[in-house]
Amino acid sequence: MRATRLVSPLLLAALVAVLGTAPVAGGASAPARSVAITIDDLPAPPAGVVSNQPAALAALTRRLLAALAAHGVPAVGFVNEGKLHLDGEEAGGAEARTAVLRLWTEAGLELGNHTYSHRSLNRTPLEEFQADVVRGEPVTRKLLAEAGRPLRYFRHPFLQVGLELPKRREFERFLAERGYTVAPVTVDNDDYVFAAVYADALRRGDGERAGRVAAGYLDYMERVFAFVEEVSRRLTGREIAQILLIHANELNADHFGELAKRIEARGYRFATLEETLRDPAYALPDDYVGNWGISWLHHWELTAQRPRSPSPDPPAWIQQAYDALPR
Ligand SMILES: [Zn+2]
C-alpha cells in the first residue's frame, strides 16, 4: 500500500536536522547554513597591521568590532598574551594593549586562549607547551571574569596538534582538566597572506594596491567557502555547522563587513561556537597528527583513510608578494 504522504512531519524534522536543510515554499530546499567566526592572534599579529602602537591597535579593533556588531556575529577572539608585552616598551604599554583586549569583552564577545607565545605544539616539548598555555591565561581570565564569563576555549597555534598521537591525546587531557574545550577550525584559509600584503601596501601609502588585495581576498574566501561546503557534503552527506578562522588584522578590520555580506549571501547565519560544537560532526573520529596545521575537515578525511582534498590557493601574485616581504 502506498503512503499518502511521502514524508511524515517527524521524519522531515529528522531529515532537516541531519541534512541541515529546511524546506521553503514551493518544495525546494534552501540551505540553512551556519558558521561560527573565530578570530586569532589578539590583540593583533604585527605583520597584519599598519602600526603595532596601542592607539593604532585600538582603532583597528574598534573597526573590526563594529563590523562584527553590524552583522550580529557572536565571535570568539583567541589571545596571545605574549603580544601584550613588547621588548623595550614603556610600562604603560602592556596596560594599553590589555585595554585593547577589553574592547572585545566590553562588546559582549568571548575570548579564548591561543597560548602565550604562539609556539608550535609539533616542535615544543609537551611540558614546555603546557606551561605556555598556563602563562597565556591570567589577563584573559581576568577580562572574562569582569564580564562574568569563564575561560573555556583553546585554539592550537598554527592549528598544529602534534606529530605523535600519544602527545596529542595527553595534551587534550591536560586541556580538559584545565576546563578547556578545543576550538576546531573547518573553514581554514590563508587570510594572513593577504593581510600581510594589504598592510604592507597601506604602510607604503598604496591604497590602490590595498584595494586590489582586498578584492582578491573576498573572491578567494568565496572559493574557500565553496570548497568546505563541497568537502562537507562529500564527507558527511550534508553541510555541517562550520567554524571560520580569520585573524585580527587591518584587512579584516577594513573588510570583514563585506566578507560578512558575502557569507550571508551564501545562506549562512552566524552562530556561537558553543552551538556549532553541538553538531555531531565534531564527534567524528579524528586521529590526525602531522606536520600540517589543517582544517578539521582534513583531519576527518585523513582519519577515514581518504585523500586530503586540495584547498584553494591565494592568487599567485598575492602569494609572490607575500613571499617577497621582509621577515
Ligand atoms: Zn595564531
Side-chain angles (χ1 to χ4, degrees):
M1 183 179 148
R2 286 171 64 97
T4 50
R5 280 185 307 201
L6 283 173
V7 183
S8 77
L10 199 63
L11 181 57
L12 183 61
L15 280 172
V16 166
V18 169
L19 297 173
T21 57
V24 294
S29 258
R33 292 171 165 164
S34 83
V35 60
I37 307 295
T38 62
I39 304 182
D40 283 13
D41 295 11
L42 271 51
V49 301
V50 172
S51 159
N52 198 26
Q53 291 305 305
L57 294 179
L60 174 159
T61 301
R62 285 201 177 88
R63 296 203 307 284
L64 180 56
L65 294 175
L68 291 167
H71 291 269
V73 181
V76 180
F78 286 89
V79 177
N80 301 127
E81 291 193 14
K83 291 187 170 68
L84 302 175
H85 306 279
L86 264 60
D87 285 344
E89 191 168 62
E90 75 287 2
E95 230 170 276
R97 290 168 196 281
T98 300
V100 173
L101 289 183
R102 190 176 280 111
L103 296 173
W104 287 79
T105 51
E106 283 174 352
L109 300 180
E110 185 160 356
L111 299 175
N113 188 343
H114 194 37
T115 74
Y116 183 87
S117 51
H118 207 285
R119 293 155 79 186
S120 161
L121 175 57
N122 288 2
R123 293 191 297 272
T124 310
L126 186 58
E127 280 192 15
E128 225 175 293
F129 193 82
Q130 290 177 172
D132 206 50
V133 173
V134 174
R135 197 179 175 202
E137 291 177 348
V139 176
T140 306
R141 201 190 285 289
K142 179 172 163 286
L143 293 173
L144 285 166
E146 287 172 12
R149 288 178 184 267
L151 172 58
R152 56 177 179 160
Y153 291 120
F154 176 81
R155 164 70 44 76
H156 294 77
F158 311 106
L159 305 186
Q160 287 173 331
V161 296
L163 295 173
E164 309 96 24
L165 199 54
K167 183 181 182 184
R168 175 176 172 179
R169 293 292 182 243
E170 199 179 333
F171 180 58
E172 287 168 344
R173 278 193 296 276
F174 162 86
L175 288 176
E177 280 163 16
R178 287 193 79 80
Y180 286 107
T181 298
V182 170
V185 174
T186 58
V187 193
D188 186 27
N189 62 84
D190 293 339
D191 77 320
Y192 63 94
V193 170
F194 292 84
V197 179
Y198 182 82
D200 175 69
L202 288 183
R203 271 182 234 120
R204 291 186 291 98
D206 193 343
E208 190 273 330
R209 181 175 171 85
R212 276 190 289 126
V213 175
Y217 172 58
L218 295 170
D219 289 345
Y220 162 80
M221 291 299 267
E222 291 261 17
R223 287 190 285 126
V224 168
F225 269 90
F227 168 77
V228 301
E229 289 155 9
E230 201 264 324
V231 174
S232 278
R233 289 192 297 268
R234 191 151 21 88
L235 193 64
T236 68
R238 66 187 175 95
E239 287 192 26
I240 67 165
Q242 307 285 358
I243 303 173
L244 171 67
L245 160 63
I246 55 175
H247 293 82
N249 54 42
E250 217 79 43
L251 175 62
N252 286 314
D254 292 346
H255 297 283
F256 179 80
E258 193 55 43
L259 177 60
K261 279 186 208 159
R262 301 262 194 129
I263 295 171
E264 287 167 337
R266 299 187 76 85
Y268 284 89
R269 70 185 172 83
F270 297 111
T272 62
L273 185 54
E274 180 175 338
E275 178 199 340
T276 300
L277 290 175
R278 287 199 287 267
D279 187 308
Y282 293 96
L284 282 171
D286 176 4
D287 291 339
Y288 171 73
V289 284
N291 273 318
W292 303 314
I294 48 181
S295 165
W296 263 243
L297 289 167
H298 285 141
H299 287 201
W300 299 323
E301 282 186 326
L302 293 169
T303 302
Q305 313 280 320
R306 299 179 186 210
R308 180 168 67 119
S309 303
S311 314
D313 289 321
W317 74 272
I318 297 275
Q319 190 64 51
Q320 283 157 11
Y322 176 79
D323 293 340
L325 291 175
R327 294 276 190 287

